[in-house]
Amino acid sequence: MGEGVLYRISGPIVVSRKTSGLKMNEEVRIGDEELIGEVIEINGEEAVIQVYEETTGISPGTRVSGTGNPISVELGPGLIGCTFDGIQRPLVVIRKEQGIFIKRGLNPKPLSRDREWEVDIHLKKDDLVVPNTIIGEVEETSLIRHRILIPPGVYGKVLEIIELPGYRVEDTICIIEDKEGERREVKLFHTWPVRKKRPFIERLPHEEILFTGQRVIDSIFPLAKGGVAAIPGGFGTGKTVTQHALAKWADADIIIYIGCGERGNEMAQVLEEFPKLKDPRSGKSLMERTILIANTSNMPVTARESSIYTGITMAEYFRDMGYDVALMADSTSRWAEALREISGRMEEMPAERGYPAYLGSRLAGFYERGGRVKVTEDRIGSVSVIGAVSPPGGDFSEPVTSHTKRFVRTFWVLDKDLAYARHYPAISWTNSYSGYFEEIAKWWEAKDIPIRSLRIRVMETLTVETHLRQIVQMVGEGALPEKERLTLKEAELIREGFLQQNALSPVDAYCSPEKQYRMLKIILDFGERARDLLERGLPLFKIIELPIFSELKRMGVEIENKEIDKFDKLAERVEKEFETLKEEYG
Amino acid sequence: MDSIYHKRHIGAQELTGPILIVEGVENVGFGELVLIEQGDINRLGRVLEVAGNRAVCQVFAGTSGIDREKVRIRFTGSPMTLPVSEEMIGRVFDGLGRPIDGCGEVIGEEERDVNGNPLNPDAREYPRENILTGISAIDGLTTLIRGQKLPIFSGAGLPHNEIAAQVVNQARISKEEDFIIIFAAMGIKADDADFFMRRFEEGGALSRLVTFINLADSPSVERLITPRCALTAAEYLAFDKGNHVLVIMTDLTNYCEALREVASAMGEVPSRKGYPGYLYSDLATLYERTGRVKGREGSITQIPILTMPNDDITHPIPDLTGYITEGQIVLSRELYQKGIYPPIDIMSSLSRLMKDGIGEGRTRKDHPDLYSQLYASYSRVQRVRSLASIIGEDELSEVDRNYLKFGKDFEGKFLNQDKTESRSIEETLNRGWEVLMNLPESELVRLSKEEIEEYRSK
Ligand SMILES: Nc1ncnc2c1ncn2[C@@H]1O[C@H](COP(=O)(O)OP(=O)(O)OP(=O)(O)O)[C@@H](O)[C@H]1O
Ligand SMILES: [Mg+2]
């Protein structure tokens, strides 16, 4: 094994000298406390190591020893429902051992070694296997059947299946003779280096929506399964609430939520809320499909840097089982800052705003691990990635936001003014975009929902409104012709009745496709009828005085997903109120 | 602290600003506490970097007066610690946690590393209980929660101190129980410190107060330690002893400037406006020492105060603070000039934890919708006002004129209150309804019909 002796210590970055045998990205242990580190640069006999724990008290002369392995995660049954730190240490175990504060020098295994799993075995002797062939299935939670896979790189034939009533993760389940004729024991789990993407056969085009139950997202700026999106926004504009909403309601099979350099209380909230919330499709607890990575802002920045790799590697693993995985990283800016801090301590040449020159390529490397892929000849899986971006001072021209923009196809821009006015989600309709809309429109159309024409009308009305508002700000609404004032009112209905969605309202937090459609339709229908009456010479104020006008703004919080028939009644009311008006005016 | 100093050294290699570099040392650990002595000079410092036999130390009181050849440096082998015990309550300490009230040393039950350790996210309990302050703008619209960190973003000359003191004096846990107040002053003027002490005394808070004071003329680098001492005491009193602790820290801007000073003396590459790239992480190690813990009684609530340079909320100090804290209370110079107290700009203020601490069984059933309606309506006021300034009030539509009236009442009757006036939550919410009644019912779309029926007459 490789080794070295510490020479320089400055925060989380240490330098060892007289180093021999250490490899790039190798996991090392430092001193008697066996602090975990990773080699991030080698220069002759000098190695730069990032240490994943506090380095206070560590002095020159301390020994460094290599483990021979790159920094890796364990992949196997027992991940779901757990909370890990940035290097996959189980926080529940740490809490049991150390109490309420995280101290250093403890390195419990991510997967429980004692727990036994019943495996439903699919293979038999002499079966041919390739990477990702399913050996058997474990019911990990009532929602997820965990598929035990032949690890990447292993091709061959089954020599023996070892049958046990219950397997622990370290038990061997089958023995393979590989192409070279070597015997390989396959256990319930394997490890994988976090910085290396897991192989697949090929990328596939996007076909299906990642349905989130958020109206402005699904109907206007949708994300595909396997797509990549970013949510940039200044502080308090709603990145975390949106990420939480997606983690709760998105129709993915597995959710990986990474709290990367953010607040402890937000993680506590997820831990308290998710077990109690029910998945709208299966009715099961949301925690049964969720894995949390919590490396809060006060935890070591080095582990923050690795947290997104830990997360995406687990996501790829579940993808390889054929699942649709959605990964949320809140916030990628904190990850980038960790990168900057590490780079600064290594005294690298900074590029823009102190970030290292490789910021862009690292970001690309992360987002590229998302996608919809063919895992085996007959299995498809996907990883959707949604990264929050926290631009300093809300300035979107800064490096992290502008680089991110190059790699994502959906961009949900959070607008400070909307957030100040408590228009939530504060997703700007002027600056956001989705590159998946065309592919996804088919999904809506298969439900007989003409999403294209609906969306065009919404966007047109909002664009005209933006323009009219500028005029109104100069001369007042009274100076506009009635027709244009009606456009303003229609836009108001779209904004307040459709785009706004209160994540805190139990009725409105999740909006089914059907409900989205009915809401949109009734609003657009109102506009059409109003336009018709206006043309017949009816004054606008009469129309907006209709009680139904303000009522339409509340249908989101008042009509439940399962009460779709109430929309029929509402539509009747719209019709009736307009008819009455028409009669009054002849 | 005066037991065995196993590593001593005479003479320094280099002195620059707060930085002292020693060569020829052995076994010095990163981050350990150092004692710097020379004649009657006695200063504390900390190891910022070690490389081979060279140690870079930060001297809290600066290096002025230090003689490169004569200075004696002792390495203590452990990080800076603070003796903690319940005896700290009622006492006054300097910025490094040494008693300065003439009542002798504190006999610590324990010595704690002032840097603390991160709370395990899994051990946290999500905070839910509100703290009513008797201030309408806060209780009604940016409700403070026990275990929250909610800073005040202020500007030079604005009444942030008054507001903080009013919160301290009016906040109660229950009739029987009071908060323990921890007050950490960083680089503030002696006048301001006196103001706080006077107000705390008036409010009867002295007997439950722990004070750490680093004044404007105290050594600036010492400020980096002051909040850490305060929070170490807070953690002990809250999580070991089961108290509800309210920490007031002022002024974080001075803290950040001290951090910048050290970073630039170290020759580090700055990020924005000369502040180091790790300002976010550093501030997080303070602000995140807040919260509630599963299975423990106590709580830590923080109200950090900072003055925004040039009233600029995008300046790195308020910006990074806002990215860490659970909301912010922003003061407005415009409201202040209109004579409104407290001049809280509610549009940019936010309490992220209030949603679970208000409503039925916590404040009142109508609170969430009322909150939402007040925001929606007041945001419209801003637009109407700017329109009115162009076309004149007379040209406004009737509804818009209603909004102007609402805006005026909202500021005058809801926001505005006396510096010692404590309003019940009922009164705050009723005032909210009262000012909304300037608007026609069709404008109140965030409130349900039933709510309007039930509360309109309040
Ligand atoms: N969809 C929503 N429904 C209701 N309230 C919302 C919604 N989105 C945001 N909010 C409100 O805005 C507050 C701030 O949102 P959030 O915490 O998500 O901001 P953020 O962008 O993550 O900020 P930071 O960058 O500081 O973490 C929330 O506490 C909540 O009160
Ligand atoms: Mg957030």
Side-chain angles (χ1 to χ4, degrees):
Chain A
M1 287 298 167
E3 56 179 18
V5 177
L6 283 194
Y7 169 74
R8 177 173 157 213
I9 301 106
S10 114
I13 301 301
V14 302
V15 177
S16 103
R17 284 196 170 167
K18 301 189 205 133
T19 316
S20 66
L22 289 181
K23 296 188 291 277
M24 205 38 197
N25 296 117
E26 178 170 344
E27 180 175 336
V28 297
R29 295 298 152 86
I30 294 161
D32 297 336
E33 285 178 278
E34 305 212 314
L35 306 186
I36 303 169
E38 177 183 358
V39 178
I40 54 172
E41 190 180 302
I42 298 179
N43 247 325
E45 286 208 327
E46 221 174 78
V48 181
I49 296 164
Q50 65 179 23
V51 187
Y52 289 116
E53 296 173 84
E54 233 339 280
T55 51
T56 302
I58 305 296
S59 55
T62 305
R63 284 178 52 85
V64 176
S65 45
T67 61
N69 301 313
I71 282 278
S72 303
V73 286
E74 291 188 354
L75 302 169
L79 293 170
I80 296 175
C82 288
T83 311
F84 299 102
D85 79 349
I87 53 168
Q88 214 200 11
R89 281 180 297 200
L91 289 174
V92 179
V93 179
I94 292 187
R95 178 176 155 223
K96 276 190 194 123
E97 306 239 340
Q98 293 186 328
I100 65 173
F101 293 106
I102 303 178
K103 295 171 201 128
R104 69 186 185 194
L106 193 68
N107 189 19
K109 300 266 190 253
L111 294 174
S112 157
R113 292 307 192 254
D114 311 322
R115 187 155 170 200
E116 289 193 5
W117 302 94
E118 210 174 293
V119 183
D120 174 11
I121 293 187
H122 292 197
L123 291 182
K124 56 184 187 314
K125 189 166 160 28
D126 294 332
D127 278 352
L128 294 181
V129 300
V130 295
N132 294 325
T133 301
I134 297 172
I135 304 169
E137 292 188 325
V138 168
E139 192 174 301
E140 182 166 356
T141 67
S142 67
L143 270 179
I144 298 298
R145 289 183 70 80
H146 191 117
R147 300 178 177 134
I148 311 294
L149 304 176
I150 295 287
V154 179
Y155 295 81
K157 140 181 132 188
V158 177
L159 274 186
E160 189 187 343
I161 298 282
I162 296 169
E163 301 215 22
L164 292 173
Y167 296 82
R168 284 166 300 187
V169 290
E170 283 177 318
D171 289 334
T172 298
I173 183 162
C174 73
I175 298 169
I176 306 290
E177 182 182 59
D178 73 10
K179 282 193 299 198
E180 280 74 43
E182 301 254 348
R183 270 171 68 94
R184 305 200 36 172
E185 296 188 352
V186 180
K187 297 182 183 346
L188 240 55
F189 87 111
H190 65 272
T191 58
W192 188 263
V194 295
R195 296 187 196 277
K196 192 168 153 191
K197 63 174 187 228
R198 288 173 68 87
F200 50 80
I201 296 175
E202 62 176 338
R203 270 180 196 281
L204 298 173
H206 305 282
E207 279 180 356
E208 209 182 308
I209 189 172
L210 180 77
F211 187 78
T212 66
Q214 311 301 304
R215 291 186 285 271
V216 57
I217 293 181
D218 299 329
S219 294
I220 313 291
F221 304 112
L223 178 61
K225 291 213 169 94
V228 289
I231 319 180
F235 62 79
T237 49
K239 297 178 291 298
T240 305
V241 174
T242 306
Q243 294 266 40
H244 281 194
L246 300 194
K248 287 173 191 165
W249 312 123
D251 64 343
D253 301 308
I254 302 275
I255 300 291
I256 300 197
Y257 191 94
I258 312 173
C260 174
E262 292 287 315
R263 305 173 181 84
N265 279 335
E266 289 171 350
M267 301 317 292
Q269 185 185 6
V270 173
L271 284 170
E272 262 189 52
E273 236 174 49
F274 277 39
K276 290 183 210 144
L277 287 171
K278 297 228 169 353
D279 174 28
R281 285 154 294 266
S282 66
K284 295 282 166 51
S285 150
L286 286 176
M287 211 57 204
E288 293 195 25
R289 63 164 196 180
T290 308
I291 300 173
L292 288 179
I293 296 177
N295 210 97
T296 54
S297 55
N298 54 339
M299 286 160 74
V301 288
T302 38
R304 188 198 298 171
E305 189 273 332
S306 66
S307 64
I308 68 164
Y309 298 105
T310 297
I312 198 122
T313 308
M314 292 199 257
E316 289 172 335
Y317 172 63
F318 283 98
R319 171 202 72 192
D320 292 348
M321 295 178 205
Y323 287 123
D324 291 313
V325 184
L327 174 140
M328 289 94 202
D330 186 13
S331 157
T332 59
S333 295
R334 306 302 165 221
W335 164 82
E337 283 165 11
L339 207 64
R340 173 170 73 186
E341 183 172 341
I342 294 162
S343 157
R345 295 199 191 261
M346 288 167 70
E347 292 170 1
E348 290 175 336
M349 211 28 196
E352 282 165 281
R353 300 236 185 139
Y355 286 105
Y358 47 78
L359 171 68
S361 59
R362 291 280 171 91
L363 269 171
F366 169 64
Y367 282 108
E368 263 171 31
R369 290 176 75 171
R372 181 165 174 270
V373 305
K374 191 194 265 183
V375 181
T376 62
E377 286 308 327
D378 56 0
R379 198 182 316 143
I380 292 172
S382 71
V383 174
S384 315
V385 180
I386 302 123
V389 184
S390 321
D395 164 18
F396 287 32
S397 66
E398 59 90 38
V400 183
T401 318
S402 53
H403 281 298
T404 301
K405 217 169 168 176
R406 290 164 46 209
F407 312 123
V408 300
R409 271 175 70 193
T410 291
F411 205 54
W412 296 312
V413 175
L414 298 182
D415 183 287
K416 186 164 123 188
D417 292 328
L418 289 178
Y420 276 6
R422 272 53 176 176
H423 170 113
Y424 295 126
I427 296 178
S428 153
W429 48 89
T430 38
N431 300 321
S432 304
Y433 55 80
S434 163
Y436 301 105
F437 186 78
E438 281 307 313
E439 284 125 304
I440 282 169
K442 291 191 250 28
W443 180 88
W444 285 101
E445 283 156 7
K447 294 185 186 300
D448 274 334
I449 296 174
I451 195 70
R452 290 173 214 257
S453 57
L454 294 173
R455 181 177 192 268
I456 288 173
R457 283 179 54 197
V458 167
M459 290 309 283
E460 254 173 21
T461 311
L462 292 172
T463 313
V464 175
E465 185 205 22
T466 311
H467 174 69
L468 291 178
R469 282 255 165 256
Q470 287 165 354
I471 301 175
V472 169
Q473 247 359 77
M474 309 292 292
V475 295
E477 214 173 299
L480 292 181
E482 295 251 297
K483 235 176 90 189
E484 300 194 324
R485 286 172 57 200
L486 174 62
T487 306
L488 290 181
K489 289 295 163 191
E490 273 183 285
E492 184 178 312
L493 264 189
I494 293 175
R495 283 187 284 107
E496 296 181 26
F498 184 78
L499 298 179
Q500 282 190 19
Q501 186 172 354
N502 187 347
L504 310 176
S505 150
V507 174
D508 206 24
Y510 172 82
C511 187
S512 69
E514 186 71 358
K515 181 173 163 188
Q516 298 197 10
Y517 169 55
R518 299 298 298 264
M519 289 176 72
L520 205 46
K521 185 151 181 318
I522 211 163
I523 287 174
L524 295 177
D525 185 50
F526 181 97
E528 238 161 66
R529 285 174 190 276
R531 201 156 295 272
D532 179 49
L533 283 197
L534 217 57
E535 267 160 26
R536 291 163 188 250
L538 206 86
L540 178 65
F541 80 92
K542 275 286 167 196
I543 298 172
I544 56 184
E545 253 178 28
L546 292 176
I548 194 80
F549 180 73
S550 35
E551 244 171 86
L552 288 185
K553 294 180 181 171
R554 290 189 58 80
M555 60 188 164
V557 289
E558 283 181 350
I559 303 182
E560 296 200 32
N561 289 308
K562 54 175 192 277
E563 305 173 321
I564 292 299
D565 50 331
K566 284 204 179 162
F567 282 103
D568 295 334
K569 293 206 194 91
L570 207 59
E572 273 167 34
R573 290 258 323 276
V574 173
E575 192 176 337
K576 222 163 72 218
E577 290 192 13
F578 272 96
E579 285 307 317
T580 321
L581 251 193
K582 224 192 266 178
E583 275 162 26
E584 267 175 38
Y585 275 74
Chain B
M1 254 197 267
D2 43 35
S3 54
I4 32 158
Y5 299 122
H6 51 293
K7 290 161 268 175
R8 305 151 189 248
H9 200 87
I10 297 180
Q13 189 63 29
E14 205 181 308
L15 301 167
T16 33
I19 303 295
L20 174 156
I21 298 174
V22 201
E23 285 191 352
V25 294
E26 262 174 50
N27 269 328
V28 167
F30 169 72
E32 74 178 66
L33 179 71
V34 290
L35 308 179
I36 288 109
E37 296 160 351
Q38 175 190 311
D40 53 4
I41 296 181
N42 261 307
R43 290 180 196 167
L44 298 177
R46 180 169 66 134
V47 177
L48 287 186
E49 182 186 316
V50 262
N53 56 13
R54 178 183 145 104
V56 180
C57 308
Q58 168 193 62
V59 185
F60 300 135
T63 53
S64 91
I66 302 252
D67 181 326
R68 209 171 65 78
E69 281 167 15
K70 292 202 189 108
V71 63
R72 285 170 51 203
I73 300 124
R74 312 215 223 182
F75 294 88
T76 63
S78 72
M80 171 128 183
T81 58
L82 181 77
V84 289
S85 91
E86 282 183 297
E87 283 177 31
M88 298 176 93
I89 300 169
R91 302 290 307 270
V92 183
F93 304 89
D94 73 357
L96 295 177
R98 296 171 297 205
I100 48 170
D101 51 6
C103 301
E105 295 288 318
V106 167
I107 313 294
E109 254 167 60
E110 223 181 290
E111 291 274 333
R112 291 244 170 123
D113 177 354
V114 297
N115 297 302
N117 280 306
L119 250 186
N120 189 324
D122 187 60
R124 281 184 187 269
E125 180 162 315
Y126 187 67
R128 292 210 146 78
E129 288 108 30
N130 58 51
I131 299 176
L132 295 177
T133 64
I135 299 174
S136 291
I138 299 180
D139 294 352
L141 301 173
T142 52
T143 319
L144 179 63
I145 303 290
R146 231 185 273 168
Q148 182 175 23
K149 38 195 179 294
L150 189 62
I152 299 178
F153 287 7
S154 186
L158 296 181
H160 43 269
N161 292 347
E162 265 98 357
I163 297 171
Q166 190 175 4
V167 168
V168 165
N169 287 346
Q170 294 179 183
R172 289 283 175 278
I173 301 167
S174 64
K175 285 205 178 60
E176 305 78 46
E177 207 184 344
D178 274 321
F179 284 95
I180 301 276
I181 313 294
I182 297 194
F183 178 63
M186 293 164 271
I188 65 169
K189 293 193 297 268
D191 282 356
D192 289 333
D194 289 345
F195 165 82
F196 273 106
M197 289 305 157
R198 245 188 351 265
R199 290 297 309 270
F200 291 157
E201 190 173 359
E202 285 161 19
L206 286 188
S207 61
R208 45 193 176 91
L209 179 71
V210 188
T211 309
F212 294 87
I213 289 206
N214 163 286
L215 291 177
D217 57 0
S218 319
S220 65
V221 183
E222 211 171 279
R223 272 163 222 161
L224 298 178
I225 301 298
T226 312
R228 296 188 160 80
C229 289
L231 292 164
T232 303
E235 282 172 351
Y236 174 80
L237 294 171
F239 303 136
D240 289 61
K241 297 294 164 188
N243 296 291
H244 293 287
V245 179
L246 184 60
V247 184
I248 309 282
M249 306 198 283
T250 181
D251 178 330
L252 263 299
T253 302
N254 298 332
Y255 171 89
C256 295
E257 273 164 13
L259 200 69
R260 177 168 67 175
E261 191 183 320
V262 174
S264 89
M266 291 282 288
E268 290 172 12
V269 184
S271 80
R272 259 202 312 158
K273 300 213 163 151
Y275 292 91
Y278 49 81
L279 181 59
Y280 174 85
S281 301
D282 186 280
L283 285 172
T285 62
L286 304 180
Y287 297 143
E288 276 291 314
R289 293 173 82 174
T290 318
R292 305 220 53 174
V293 170
K294 287 181 198 154
R296 308 254 171 130
E297 263 306 298
S299 64
I300 300 177
T301 307
Q302 277 192 31
I303 304 185
I305 298 171
L306 59 87
T307 44
M308 301 182 279
N310 303 317
D311 291 355
D312 176 11
I313 196 168
T314 67
H315 183 280
I317 299 172
D319 189 49
L320 295 179
T321 296
Y323 271 124
I324 305 166
T325 53
E326 283 133 357
Q328 64 279 338
I329 293 175
V330 184
L331 303 193
S332 143
R333 202 165 289 283
E334 196 189 318
L335 284 176
Y336 178 66
Q337 279 154 358
K338 279 194 198 168
I340 307 285
Y341 173 89
I344 295 178
D345 175 44
I346 66 143
M347 297 313 292
S348 53
S349 301
L350 170 72
S351 163
R352 297 173 195 232
L353 299 185
M354 75 182 282
K355 54 185 183 287
D356 295 292
I358 62 170
E360 195 157 14
R362 297 197 175 267
T363 50
R364 204 169 76 184
K365 188 169 78 206
D366 56 318
H367 193 168
D369 284 345
L370 181 68
Y371 156 90
S372 171
Q373 185 64 60
L374 284 168
Y375 265 104
S377 304
Y378 192 60
S379 94
R380 171 89 175 260
V381 170
Q382 314 294 324
R383 260 192 288 138
V384 175
R385 279 182 182 160
S386 82
L387 179 60
S389 70
I390 297 169
I391 63 171
E393 262 183 55
D394 297 341
E395 295 299 310
L396 293 177
S397 68
E398 195 186 328
V399 174
D400 281 350
R401 280 199 300 273
N402 290 335
Y403 271 102
L404 284 188
K405 183 89 193 350
F406 160 76
K408 192 156 170 276
D409 270 6
F410 176 80
E411 289 164 6
K413 293 185 181 160
F414 183 86
L415 289 187
N416 196 31
Q417 70 185 77
D418 203 78
K419 286 177 185 158
T420 52
E421 179 185 357
S422 181
R423 291 185 189 154
S424 71
I425 185 70
E426 290 281 327
E427 184 181 350
T428 290
L429 298 177
N430 293 348
R431 278 177 189 256
W433 280 98
E434 187 192 326
V435 299
L436 275 177
M437 288 306 126
N438 284 303
L439 300 174
E441 208 174 303
S442 58
E443 293 296 307
L444 307 179
V445 298
R446 307 258 177 131
L447 297 163
S448 71
K449 276 208 196 75
E450 299 78 48
E451 282 170 329
I452 297 179
E453 279 309 304
E454 189 175 343
Y455 294 102
R456 66 172 314 145
S457 55
K458 296 261 173 168

